[in-house]
Amino acid sequence: MSYAKLLIGSVAASWLAGCTMTPRYEQPAAPVAAEYPDAGSATASSIATIEWQEFYADAKLRELIELALTNNRDLRVAILNIDQARAQYRIQRSDSFPKFNAAGSMSATRVPASVSQTGESLTTRQYDANIGLSAYELDLFGRVRSLNGQALENFLATSEARKATQISLISEVANAYLTWAADLEQLALAQQTLQSQSSSYDLTKRRFELGSASELTLRQIQTSVDTARVNVATYTRLIAQDRNALVLLLGAAVPESLAPTSLSDTVSTVAELPSGLPSDLLSRRPDIVQAEHELKAANFNIGAARAAFYPRITLTGSAGSSSNDLNGLFEAGSGAWSFVPQISVPLFAGGANRANLDAAQVGRQIEVAQYEHAIQSAFREVADALAERNTLGDQLAARQSLVDATATSFRLSQARFERGVDSYLDVLDSQRSLYTAQQGLIDARLQKLTNTVTLYKALGGGWSE
């Protein structure tokens, strides 16, 4: 009968050892529409599947991205965070295994004659050597396994955070490079305008000194010259700041051979940019995957909090040798051992266990909300990029048409002024309109290129081992 009870108890303990108090995990439904608005018909495959080395067309840009991935401090911190999380997981996982320690000790005690039973002083010594097991918990209700699962999910979340950091870094380098190139074109345009207006000013000044031009015309041209000088100074400053921004992203100086010369009309080797399906984001966007791992970690935390309501059984023991003489420490008959099993049953903790479980359950609800918010934010980023892409072609064409029209208007107004039909104010207005249109065209080209970069990032592209 006692054997049967022992067998039943062993089976029950084995069954309990295989279960935890962690709730069954269910992935929350994605709180977004089934398809992107303004996605068009190009949804056959996602550009996120293309590695960044193949996606970006500019060889200089690819080299700059390589430098950033090697030297950027934010990415380096993200990688070190992974190493730290891995170590923390290993620390937590070690609680699943017994911990044995080898120890040796010597104690000496002197009893004075006044309290000795023999009336003489007495000195005793004891030598011990043993291997001990310290407070090993029998994880019958899965508390330790729940904590292990939580640590593992936190480690996986940190790994996904590194991927998200790399994707963001690549897009930031690309945008900084494109912005620098656009500002270089803006500076060249401002310098060209300044040179043209300065020549007109010098010519008009000589004519004014000879009495064939009015002071009003001279001052009008001077305002145009001063405006161009301001623009040259502005874009000179912006170019220096663009370089500084790129230096920070690279974590190193920008090699002169990799500096842009002009704004290219193409940033990607991909002619068409299919957006993929919204469901692709759940597996491709690292920030969404990270949020789900954090949700799973919160789920495991509930299991650990539930297990705190149940008894905890710990084992402490040691085996070794003990002797009052060092020479006899390992002789026959000196063996010694101790075994101290302990069970702790929670009776009253002032509501701490209940509060801890409530906090864990609320924490899971918070992680659910953050997971859903990550999905919604990602969906919006893609939808915004698609909406912008659908209008950029018309916008760029309109900007180019505006430049052509204002260039023609400027030539005609200048010809009319030279024939004495119009005043120079009409020429200045036409020239300013042309300059503004040319600036707008550069901005539109930059916007089209950065939209490609943004869409690639929003879809989760740019991660590679």
Side-chain angles (χ1 to χ4, degrees), residues 398-410:
R399 288 286 186 183
Q400 183 63 60
S401 178
L402 181 60
V403 169
D404 295 340
T406 52
T408 301
S409 175
F410 174 64

Side-chain angles (χ1 to χ4, degrees), residues 221-273:
I221 298 177
Q222 183 180 353
T223 61
S224 181
V225 171
D226 291 338
T227 301
R229 288 174 57 197
V230 169
N231 289 337
V232 168
T234 298
Y235 286 111
T236 301
R237 169 177 55 82
L238 290 177
I239 287 171
Q241 292 175 340
D242 292 339
R243 177 187 283 272
N244 294 338
L246 197 53
V247 167
L248 178 61
L249 292 172
L250 299 184
V254 180
E256 289 299 330
S257 60
L258 299 183
T261 54
S262 62
L263 185 63
S264 172
D265 291 329
T266 303
V267 68
S268 174
T269 58
V270 183
E272 296 293 332
L273 298 179

Side-chain angles (χ1 to χ4, degrees), residues 1-10:
M1 185 65 179
S2 59
Y3 176 77
K5 289 181 179 180
L6 178 62
L7 179 61
I8 292 173
S10 300

Side-chain angles (χ1 to χ4, degrees), residues 20-36:
T20 67
M21 300 294 171
T22 301
R24 180 180 178 182
Y25 174 76
E26 295 183 2
Q27 185 183 50
V32 293
E35 59 184 18
Y36 300 114

Side-chain angles (χ1 to χ4, degrees), residues 285-367:
R285 283 269 301 222
D287 56 338
I288 295 179
V289 180
Q290 175 188 355
E292 186 173 11
H293 281 305
E294 291 170 348
L295 172 57
K296 291 179 180 179
N299 208 51
F300 277 113
N301 192 35
I302 294 177
R306 285 178 174 177
F309 287 90
Y310 294 85
R312 292 176 60 181
I313 299 176
T314 57
L315 304 179
T316 300
S318 66
S321 179
S322 181
S323 174
N324 60 2
D325 185 356
L326 182 60
N327 294 329
L329 184 60
F330 296 105
E331 292 182 353
S334 63
W337 60 268
S338 68
F339 180 60
V340 186
Q342 183 177 9
I343 182 170
S344 174
V345 181
L347 297 178
F348 177 75
N353 289 338
R354 179 73 254 180
N356 189 43
L357 177 58
D358 290 342
Q361 291 173 336
V362 172
R364 185 185 185 279
Q365 295 174 7
I366 292 173
E367 295 300 335

